Amino acid sequence: MVGRWRILVVFLLVVAFLGCSSSEEKIAKHMEKGIAFAKEGKLREAAIEFQNVLQIDPKHPKANYELAEIYLKTGNLRQALSQYRKAVDVDPENLEARIKLSSLLIAAGELEEAEKHLQYVLQKEPENIKALNLLATLRLRQKDYKNAEKLAEQVLAKDPGNIEALVIISRVYNAKGEKAKALAKLKEAIAKSPDNVFLYELLLRQYLENGKVKEAETLLKELTAKFPKQTRFVRELVSLYVAQGKFKDAENFLLTWNEKHPNEVFGRLMLIDLYRQLGQIDKAIQLAEESLKKWPDSLDLKAQLAYLLVQKNKLDEAQKLVDEVLAKNPNHPIAHLVRGKIRLAKGLLAEALEDFEITVKGRPRLAEAYHFIGVVNLLQGKPAEARKALEKAIELNPLAWKTRLIYARLLLAQGEPDKAREEAVKVLRLMPRNKEAGLLLAASYMAEKKFAEAEKIYKRMIQIFPKDPTVHFAYATCLYAQKKIKEAVAQDLKTLELAPNHLPALTRLVRYYLAQKEPDKALALIDKHMANFKNKAPLYFLKAQVYLVKKDLKTAEEQLKLALKENDKFLPAYNLLIALYAKEGKLDQALTETEKALEKSPQNVRLLMIKGAILLAQNKNDEAEKVYRQIIEIKPDYFPALNNLAWMLAEKGELEEAFIFAQRARELAPENPYILDTFGWVLYKRGSYDLAISTFKDILEKNPDFLPTRFHLAKALIAKGEKKAALEELEKIVKSPLNFPEKEEAKRLLEELKKS
């Protein structure tokens, strides 16, 4: 028996030994294959081999590092970052892995973690140039310019020709506003590395950002000759010509380029796109069709032709061509770009976004794709994602002036007028007569209430665009803001002279005449321009407002009915007509008009709230309750409906549900006295008098004249037996010059308390 166990143990040891030997052999084979594939450029195959190693030994140091390298080379930065972390975890002394991880972390904005790894490297190797440069870059990101420059200088002391350190110092100077020094340092780097394309791109960007358009143009001409295979410089030179309005120069350059490179389809594509940008769509289509005769299998040309057909709104023809391209190459970036534009035109935002994202995977430097990703995200109400995409588009193509203008508008909307101004100025440096950039520049000053600066810009723009109603209207807005009323009115009148159907200018002038107590002038102005409007509903609506000021309710009603006859979906007319009927006590008619409006806009929360209020006024509480519940289904966080429903339920004695709705409303609007008053009232109804009193007192501390809450506090004090305190509150209510619906009840309650 003992012998058998001894044989079994020996057998198991042999098996274990053989298994161990087999695993090591497998790892060695997979590593050998992986490294060989990587050297041959077969990165996908290499990744599979390294993954096979990690299935056997998840902590294999070299496999973890090599897999991270593959991810980095294939541009899969997220996976690369994660894999370098693993490589560092299993081999903390792999300094190269720490350096590459730090670089990715800096790019991702995770500066604290990046610094931790860099400090580790520098403790081990204080003169590690890569680590010093990365730490300098990190300091630059932190706007610690002094230490960024110091670290870069430390690198240059050891390696005077270090390009990265020179670029860092150039960026430091640029960030500090020392533009001349920044350029000098960048040129010094170029002198040391004259074939470094990246350095020329940086120089070009600095020229453009500093408004040195001539220098940028000269540089691009040199670069197209120096680097003939770098077609991006051809593209950028053409874009610069177009931005400056040098359309003939752009065309001649491309015609010459095509003569020199007759077998390059790229030049034809560029010329086709130039004609598209110039609005010469038919000429572009003709050239595309001619080019397809020479290059019949060119998917790029077919995709470009589809792009042009989208411009002509021939979406079905464009879709047919796109389908043909994608059938042969499912990942063709331009075909996806075009399909994205088709889907965008149809309002299919999610599908369009998917196409644009596929485009950037195939063409990660295509600025236009990022532009449209930004546009879609804006339409989807995702400003943070839009901003990121627009910034990437501008980074890739500093000449993308349309992208800059969209970005500037976004910055203005996000409360960053200074940054919006920078973008507008950059466009104006390229295109001094760009109207939209000028308007954005003035608007950036308006946002900061720097009206005098804005006015100077508007005056210059009126000189450049004397017959543009948009400029005159914007200038009027600036003048109104400065209380320069007569001058503002003159500009609004000029706007109407240039654009007789300019509704905002007409509306503002009507309001001006009403403020001046000249309603007849307002009516005369509306009548004068009535014939200029195809849709007259807004004008009848304006007339109704004038008649309301004149207290001619009958004529106001007639004008509102005319507005709705003209356009039965014009909700402002419904709203005013409903208010008019409610004011006259014609609740049935008000309800009828509300129902009509809801037929046009069934989920309009504001209209539903009006309906609920009318039903309450008619004592149709059950129907009102249904309406408020309907609102909450449509918009669960709409606190006015939650508040009203809570109040109604409390009055019915359904206190538990009332408390739930009141609590939700309070969470959504914690400073609103009406919401807090309802919450306190529900507490009072539940018998939680101390909490109710505390809530009412909190409201009155901030809103001492809010009489409904004071009355409710008095009631809660009475319920708690604090008669004296209740009398004091009721006395304050009675003595107050302010009125509220329950004031008479407060007076009666005061008299009763005094008698008791």
Side-chain angles (χ1 to χ4, degrees):
M1 189 70 170
V2 173
R4 285 182 182 178
W5 275 109
R6 196 172 283 165
I7 291 166
L8 180 61
V9 169
V10 170
F11 174 75
L12 289 172
L13 287 170
V14 170
V15 169
F17 174 76
L18 290 173
C20 181
S21 175
S22 177
S23 294
E24 287 176 358
E25 285 176 6
K26 283 179 181 177
I27 286 171
K29 284 180 182 178
H30 285 308
M31 285 300 298
E32 186 180 345
K33 281 185 179 180
I35 290 165
F37 281 137
K39 283 180 181 178
E40 292 171 17
K42 297 178 180 178
L43 302 182
R44 184 175 172 275
E45 292 85 346
I48 292 169
E49 295 301 330
F50 296 134
Q51 286 163 352
N52 287 335
V53 173
L54 294 174
Q55 283 182 348
I56 301 166
D57 179 6
K59 293 187 177 182
H60 193 284
K62 189 160 180 61
N64 273 291
Y65 178 73
E66 292 297 339
L67 184 57
E69 291 281 279
I70 296 297
Y71 289 144
L72 185 63
K73 287 173 185 174
T74 54
N76 195 336
L77 302 184
R78 186 175 294 177
Q79 277 190 288
L81 192 150
S82 174
Q83 194 60 44
Y84 278 122
R85 276 194 178 120
K86 290 175 184 175
V88 170
D89 286 342
V90 299
D91 184 7
E93 298 306 310
N94 188 336
L95 302 187
E96 191 63 24
R98 284 187 186 270
I99 286 169
K100 288 180 178 176
L101 173 58
S102 299
S103 179
L104 291 171
L105 288 167
I106 291 169
E110 297 181 37
L111 304 185
E112 191 176 333
E113 186 184 348
E115 178 156 3
K116 181 185 76 173
H117 290 293
L118 291 172
Q119 296 293 1
Y120 186 95
V121 173
L122 290 169
Q123 280 179 357
K124 301 283 183 180
E125 297 180 1
E127 297 185 357
N128 188 303
I129 285 175
K130 288 181 184 177
L132 288 168
N133 271 331
L134 278 172
L135 190 57
T137 303
L138 187 148
R139 294 286 178 255
L140 188 60
R141 288 285 298 270
Q142 292 172 328
K143 297 185 178 179
D144 181 359
Y145 303 130
K146 184 180 177 181
N147 281 311
E149 185 177 358
K150 186 178 176 183
L151 285 161
E153 292 287 6
Q154 189 178 333
V155 170
L156 290 172
K158 303 176 191 307
D159 179 9
N162 189 280
I163 302 302
E164 192 174 348
L166 289 167
V167 169
I168 290 166
I169 293 173
S170 174
R171 284 176 168 167
V172 167
Y173 286 142
N174 204 39
K176 288 160 67 176
E178 298 178 31
K179 307 295 183 183
K181 284 186 176 181
L183 282 170
K185 215 65 179 174
L186 198 48
K187 286 177 180 178
E188 185 183 335
I190 290 170
K192 293 180 184 298
S193 182
D195 295 324
N196 189 317
V197 173
F198 171 69
L199 294 177
Y200 288 107
E201 288 181 335
L202 288 178
L203 181 60
L204 175 63
R205 188 170 288 114
Q206 283 205 22
Y207 279 148
L208 292 172
E209 288 180 354
N210 296 338
K212 294 180 179 291
V213 180
K214 278 188 178 180
E215 290 86 342
E217 186 179 323
T218 302
L219 176 63
L220 281 168
K221 286 177 182 176
E222 292 171 1
L223 294 176
T224 55
K226 185 178 178 68
F227 302 105
K229 292 184 179 179
Q230 292 290 341
T231 53
R232 77 185 84 165
F233 294 132
V234 173
R235 188 178 287 110
E236 285 173 348
L237 179 55
V238 172
S239 295
L240 185 59
Y241 280 138
V242 171
Q244 296 176 89
K246 295 181 176 181
F247 307 129
K248 200 66 186 172
D249 287 348
E251 184 180 18
N252 289 337
F253 169 76
L254 284 174
L255 288 170
T256 304
W257 198 93
N258 282 327
E259 284 176 11
K260 291 179 180 176
H261 306 86
N263 297 318
E264 293 285 344
V265 72
F266 166 79
R268 289 290 186 96
L269 289 165
M270 284 296 299
L271 191 55
I272 291 164
D273 193 56
L274 174 66
Y275 292 142
R276 177 193 65 80
Q277 290 181 67
L278 299 181
Q280 300 173 20
I281 306 299
D282 291 334
K283 190 173 182 179
I285 289 173
Q286 184 183 349
L287 182 58
E289 288 171 344
E290 287 173 5
S291 301
L292 275 167
K293 291 174 185 175
K294 184 172 182 178
W295 292 282
D297 298 324
S298 172
L299 298 183
D300 290 342
L301 275 171
K302 288 179 182 178
Q304 185 79 347
L305 180 56
Y307 193 117
L308 295 167
L309 292 169
V310 171
Q311 296 286 101
K312 294 282 282 185
N313 206 31
K314 295 181 177 180
L315 301 186
D316 292 338
E317 290 180 49
Q319 184 69 60
K320 188 178 176 183
L321 270 174
V322 165
D323 291 343
E324 186 182 328
V325 173
L326 291 176
K328 293 182 179 178
N329 179 0
N331 295 313
H332 193 280
I334 304 303
H336 278 288
L337 180 72
V338 177
R339 191 170 75 175
K341 290 191 73 174
I342 294 170
R343 287 171 163 179
L344 182 58
K346 293 179 178 178
L348 303 170
L349 301 184
E351 294 86 347
L353 184 61
E354 183 183 343
D355 273 314
F356 297 138
E357 285 175 343
I358 292 170
T359 299
V360 298
K361 283 179 183 174
R363 290 276 295 276
R365 293 186 59 81
L366 186 62
E368 188 179 5
Y370 287 101
H371 169 97
F372 282 111
I373 289 171
V375 168
V376 172
N377 277 307
L378 278 176
L379 292 171
Q380 290 180 324
K382 299 175 181 175
E385 291 88 337
R387 181 168 178 164
K388 186 177 177 183
L390 294 170
E391 285 171 352
K392 184 66 177 176
I394 291 166
E395 177 194 326
L396 292 170
N397 182 11
L399 295 166
W401 60 271
K402 289 182 182 177
T403 308
R404 282 195 188 275
L405 292 176
I406 293 172
Y407 181 50
R409 284 199 296 272
L410 175 59
L411 291 169
L412 204 55
Q414 292 185 327
E416 298 182 59
D418 53 335
K419 290 183 179 178
R421 184 156 54 246
E422 286 175 15
E423 295 304 319
V425 166
K426 285 172 184 175
V427 174
L428 287 167
R429 282 173 179 162
L430 282 172
M431 310 168 75
R433 295 175 66 88
N434 186 290
K435 183 182 72 174
E436 190 177 351
L439 289 171
L440 275 168
L441 180 61
S444 73
Y445 285 118
M446 291 284 287
E448 294 176 329
K449 298 187 177 179
K450 294 177 179 177
F451 303 123
E453 288 88 339
E455 185 175 353
K456 288 176 188 174
I457 295 164
Y458 286 129
K459 282 181 176 177
R460 286 201 299 273
M461 290 189 72
I462 281 175
Q463 289 174 350
I464 300 168
F465 307 104
K467 294 185 179 181
D468 192 301
T470 310
V471 176
H472 286 279
F473 183 74
Y475 182 29
T477 304
C478 179
L479 292 167
Y480 280 117
Q482 297 176 85
K483 310 294 183 190
K484 295 180 180 180
I485 306 301
K486 285 186 179 179
E487 294 168 69
V489 168
Q491 289 300 318
D492 271 340
L493 287 168
K494 185 67 178 176
T495 303
L496 275 179
E497 180 191 322
L498 294 166
N501 61 347
H502 197 290
L503 184 60
L506 178 61
T507 302
R508 199 153 62 184
L509 284 167
V510 166
R511 287 175 182 165
Y512 164 73
Y513 288 131
L514 291 179
Q516 294 296 109
K517 298 183 179 178
E518 296 180 297
D520 292 334
K521 276 193 177 182
L523 288 171
L525 185 69
I526 297 168
D527 288 335
K528 179 184 174 182
H529 289 276
M530 185 72 76
N532 299 320
F533 286 81
K534 188 177 180 181
N535 174 18
K536 294 177 172 53
L539 276 74
Y540 290 126
F541 178 68
L542 275 177
K543 288 185 81 170
Q545 293 177 70
V546 177
Y547 282 115
L548 282 174
V549 170
K550 293 182 76 171
K551 298 189 176 2
D552 185 349
L553 304 188
K554 185 180 178 183
T555 309
E557 181 184 347
E558 290 169 0
Q559 294 298 318
L560 289 169
K561 286 181 177 178
L562 283 171
L564 291 170
K565 186 179 179 182
E566 182 80 12
N567 179 1
D568 65 355
K569 295 179 181 178
F570 190 58
L571 292 181
Y574 280 114
N575 289 333
L576 192 54
L577 188 57
I578 292 161
L580 177 59
Y581 285 143
K583 185 178 181 180
E584 294 180 299
K586 299 176 181 177
L587 296 182
D588 289 340
Q589 286 171 276
L591 186 59
T592 299
E593 294 303 325
T594 306
E595 295 286 8
K596 286 181 186 176
L598 281 166
E599 285 175 16
K600 313 300 176 189
S601 182
Q603 293 201 320
N604 188 306
V605 169
R606 187 175 183 278
L607 284 171
L608 287 167
M609 285 295 290
I610 291 169
K611 182 180 178 181
I614 294 169
L615 290 168
L616 277 177
Q618 293 178 317
N619 294 316
K620 297 177 180 177
N621 292 3
D622 290 343
E623 291 180 51
E625 182 182 329
K626 287 178 184 175
V627 171
Y628 290 129
R629 290 187 185 277
Q630 183 185 349
I631 293 168
I632 293 164
E633 281 182 24
I634 295 167
K635 197 171 180 180
D637 292 341
Y638 194 66
F639 65 83
L642 291 165
N643 178 74
N644 290 7
L645 184 56
W647 183 274
M648 291 179 66
L649 291 170
E651 293 302 287
K652 283 172 64 178
E654 296 178 16
L655 299 175
E656 291 310 309
E657 194 177 13
F659 179 76
I660 291 167
F661 287 123
Q663 175 71 1
R664 278 174 61 192
R666 187 183 73 152
E667 288 169 359
L668 293 164
E671 300 297 323
N672 188 306
Y674 292 95
I675 303 300
L676 295 173
D677 181 65
T678 299
F679 181 68
W681 186 248
V682 173
L683 290 171
Y684 162 73
K685 286 278 191 176
R686 293 178 82 198
S688 303
Y689 301 128
D690 287 331
L691 286 172
I693 289 166
S694 173
T695 300
F696 294 138
K697 284 182 176 179
D698 285 345
I699 296 168
L700 291 167
E701 189 177 335
K702 295 178 182 177
N703 308 274
D705 294 326
F706 195 56
L707 297 186
T709 295
R710 200 168 289 285
F711 181 55
H712 295 154
L713 173 59
K715 282 198 162 188
L717 289 166
I718 292 167
K720 198 185 173 197
E722 297 183 19
K723 179 181 172 183
K724 184 180 177 183
L727 281 168
E728 288 176 6
E729 297 303 328
L730 291 168
E731 289 281 4
K732 289 177 186 176
I733 293 168
V734 171
K735 288 177 183 178
S736 172
L738 301 173
N739 284 314
F740 76 110
E742 296 161 300
K743 192 163 187 177
E744 289 303 317
E745 187 182 344
K747 287 178 182 177
R748 286 195 299 272
L749 186 57
L750 177 61
E751 292 304 318
E752 290 172 10
L753 274 182
K754 284 180 177 178
K755 290 176 184 176
S756 64

